[in-house]
Amino acid sequence: QGGAGTQTAALIVSGNTGGPPIAGALNANVEEYDGTSWSEQNNIPTARADHMAFGPQTAALASGGIISTATITNTSAEYDGTNWTTGGTMGTSREYHSGAGTVSAGVVTGGVPPITANVEEYDGTSFSEVNNLPAARQSHQMSGIQTASMVISGYIPPAYTTSCLFYDGTNFSSAPSVATARTNAAGAGGTPSATLFSGGVPSSGGYVANTEEFTQSINTITPAAWASGTSINTGRELLAGAGTTSAGLAFGGQTSNPTKVNNSE
């Protein structure tokens, strides 16, 4: 599923509610969270899974993913807090990609198939290709905005990676690495300086519940570092996240295939 927003104004968009074949379990359902409870909203026009979503609850974008058996899409949809409208079309159809920013200033990176380093920015109307990732990557996460974001962990052939990158709206540069390389984790953070990274699948297999927090300050001797945070209650993958390190939310995902969970923390 795709997740966006903050701890008290989160959004969950579509997803896979069962096991394979994935096309038979796609769900167009959309729900909003107000900090206390979830409520159903207008469905996204095209059900999808393995997609991504970013932005605030009332100005979000969902793009890519699988919409039917063996069909990976490059389409997107915009959400204004009430209704969905057709968004721009990515130049590269993809799933297991990630993104950051807002509906009028977003960035999308990586994904499959095949695994790609392609990066596209969104201006509220159309996508345009910009500088590629240093290496093709999938099943990673992003936090931040279009001109100040972070790419976190994921898979770079032939292995899961701990590496992270900063993006300044033009170029990518090295960022501090996470402690646990993993895929399909949840990321959250309005800026790279307050990023949360939780759950997912490590290279050893299984599902982890551990959480890592990233903080960055120009006022400390160690200006940027990841630190261990409080684990989520359930180890899982393909979950979504929202908020920041001091007010974060993790929700949904799966504890095995096809077992899905609907709890939020």
Side-chain angles (χ1 to χ4, degrees), residues 4 6-12 31-41 57 249 251 264:
T6 66
Q7 185 189 65
T8 57
L11 183 72
I12 186 169
E31 297 184 42
E32 290 183 356
Y33 186 65
D34 62 7
T36 303
S37 59
W38 292 91
S39 59
E40 291 196 14
Q41 307 298 319
Q57 187 189 71
L249 182 71
F251 46 96
S264 55

Side-chain angles (χ1 to χ4, degrees), residues 138-140 153-155 160 181-185 197 199-202 237-238:
Q138 71 171 87
S139 304
H140 52 295
S153 196
Y155 175 72
Y160 290 29
R182 45 188 143 161
T183 61
N184 299 332
F197 186 55
V201 177
E237 68 164 332
L238 298 171

